[in-house]
Amino acid sequence: MSPHSVISTARRLVVKVGSSSLTGVDGGIDHGRLVALANALAHKHLDGTQIVLVSSGAIAAGIHPLGLTARPRDLATQQAAASVGQGALLAGYTQAFAGHDITVGQVLLTADDVTRRTHYANARRTLERLLDLGVLPIVNENDTVATSEIRFGDNDRLAALVAHLIDADALVLLSDVDALYDGPPSRPGARRIPVVRGPQDLVGVEIGGSGSKVGTGGMTTKIEAARIATAAGVVTSVTAADRVTQVLAGEDVGTVFLPIGVRGRSRRLWLEHATTARGRLIVDDGAVTALVQRKTSLLPAGITAVEGTFHDGDPVDVCSPDGTAIARGLVNYSSSELPSLLGRSTRELARELGPEYEREVIHRDDLVVI
């Protein structure tokens, strides 16, 4: 079996499409492109493959209704455009898939929603149930409420995390670039890289940024998404949206990134890749050993300093004495509470301040060593 044919045999598939693949020359949603994508996915769905579509385009879809001439740069106007555009985008998908008697369901996520234990489990259960019911979920970042601190940053990364969340067999990233090349595709002699088996295959490859006026991603974000997905055991394909039928059929198009990890769900991957630290906890050498080697929780006794401003439940980086980040986790205390607790045992704190202080600063289930 060729590496590309793995996509055709996937029983559970995540497909991500970028804004640039859904928009026309005027910057608005091109209904013909949307329908073509829906038709290709519908045929795969009707063949028995469970598909989750991660779709960009909400902000682009809101540009014209708001009378804008280009993608807005400020967050408030982006969120306004997303609010208007998300409904229009979903309506387009609903109509396109209805032609195949396929029901779609909207799932909007923020990184903050899905890093907390209960929210992560709820998102997974929702997607699993939608798939069990034969629904084709359409996922997007909740741009209307996401702030810069709680954004995934791009839907390539979101798609990789969703593939991991639902234990997908494969991830397909569609954009306006047909494959990864060993240099800028416009350069004469640039060669397509058909298969990437590991990081060693990317050594010396020149990778550019976003080439789209309406999107936020580029080949750099796709390689990062592929790294996240393949580390979770998910084969990943990067190709152009107009080649979606060929890639779903397992033809030799685009670039396939082969898995380097083992499949299996773990919320820790979300903690590592979907969060932005709001602060830092500096710990002593003993705590470093306990966290890295013994996989313990982080207790107040091992913390020597607190940096930044954060609240209970926020992600923070845990750093060695020299400032190197060794772990990330969800903290159980705010930055204003922690300083008075440092260097003290939980038993001592509980005896002096009450039983609610006999808890970890970061529980090991909410901690990932990086």
Side-chain angles (χ1 to χ4, degrees):
M1 179 182 294
S2 73
H4 294 268
S5 64
V6 174
I7 306 295
S8 66
T9 60
R11 305 318 302 161
R12 178 172 285 188
L13 183 66
V14 174
V15 177
K16 181 266 177 179
V17 63
S19 297
S20 60
S21 301
L22 296 174
T23 53
V25 293
D26 60 356
I29 295 297
D30 184 323
H31 189 66
R33 290 186 175 191
L34 186 150
V35 169
L37 173 65
N39 288 343
L41 298 184
H43 290 308
K44 193 70 174 175
H45 174 92
L46 295 172
D47 281 342
T49 301
Q50 292 183 327
I51 297 175
V52 174
L53 173 61
V54 177
S55 178
S56 301
I59 294 177
I63 290 176
H64 287 171
L66 290 179
L68 304 174
T69 57
R71 181 186 177 94
R73 293 182 178 275
D74 65 290
L75 180 60
T77 310
Q78 287 178 2
Q79 291 176 324
S83 177
V84 172
Q86 187 63 42
L89 185 65
L90 187 68
Y93 279 126
T94 299
Q95 181 179 10
F97 282 106
H100 302 275
D101 293 324
I102 296 172
T103 300
V104 302
Q106 178 176 256
V107 180
L108 300 177
L109 299 174
T110 68
D112 198 48
D113 283 336
V114 195
T115 48
R116 300 170 195 269
R117 260 179 292 185
T118 55
H119 294 187
Y120 174 90
N122 287 339
R124 186 177 69 211
R125 281 196 296 267
T126 297
L127 288 168
E128 292 278 5
R129 188 64 181 133
L130 286 169
L131 292 172
D132 289 344
L133 291 170
V135 174
L136 195 152
I138 298 177
V139 177
N140 195 1
E141 180 164 13
N142 194 349
D143 290 310
T144 60
V145 300
T147 64
S148 58
E149 290 83 10
I150 61 172
R151 289 180 59 82
F152 290 104
D154 61 78
N155 274 346
D156 293 318
R157 183 162 59 138
L158 172 59
L161 291 164
V162 168
H164 170 71
L165 181 72
I166 65 168
D167 200 18
D169 299 299
L171 167 66
V172 175
L173 301 174
L174 301 174
S175 69
D176 50 1
V177 180
D178 68 331
L180 172 65
Y181 286 78
D182 59 3
S186 58
R187 179 188 296 169
R191 294 181 296 111
R192 174 176 74 102
I193 301 175
V195 181
V196 174
R197 292 178 168 80
Q200 69 279 0
D201 290 348
L202 298 177
V203 174
V205 175
E206 294 182 47
I207 301 167
S210 173
S212 168
K213 295 180 180 179
V214 295
T216 59
M219 190 54 70
T220 301
T221 69
K222 286 166 182 57
I223 290 175
E224 173 62 16
R227 186 178 73 83
I228 295 170
T230 55
V234 180
V235 63
T236 302
S237 175
V238 173
T239 194
D242 59 9
R243 300 188 177 186
V244 61
T245 299
Q246 293 100 304
V247 73
L248 294 181
E251 295 182 20
D252 183 8
V253 297
T255 299
V256 169
F257 295 76
L258 298 183
I260 57 175
V262 179
R263 285 172 61 192
R265 300 189 188 106
S266 169
R267 203 174 105 271
R268 291 184 178 89
L269 186 133
W270 282 77
L271 288 174
E272 181 177 357
H273 294 289
T275 58
T276 300
R278 314 284 178 83
R280 305 202 317 163
L281 304 179
I282 310 301
V283 301
D284 59 28
D285 289 328
V288 171
T289 299
L291 295 173
V292 175
Q293 297 184 11
R294 300 203 299 273
K295 312 298 183 185
T296 65
S297 299
L298 177 62
L299 302 176
I303 304 173
T304 60
V306 177
E307 299 177 359
T309 302
F310 49 84
H311 302 286
D312 174 7
D314 282 347
V316 297
D317 279 342
V318 181
C319 302
S320 63
D322 66 2
T324 302
I326 61 162
R328 179 170 295 168
L330 302 182
V331 67
N332 288 324
Y333 293 93
S334 70
S335 54
S336 60
E337 288 180 285
L338 264 178
S340 63
L341 312 180
L342 303 190
R344 305 173 69 183
S345 71
T346 53
R347 182 173 301 177
E348 176 190 350
L349 291 169
R351 185 168 56 247
E352 179 180 326
L353 302 174
E356 68 272 18
Y357 283 86
E358 194 169 10
R359 69 183 191 270
E360 306 87 350
V361 175
I362 302 177
H363 191 278
R364 62 184 179 184
D365 290 342
D366 293 325
L367 184 76
V368 58
V369 175
I370 55 180

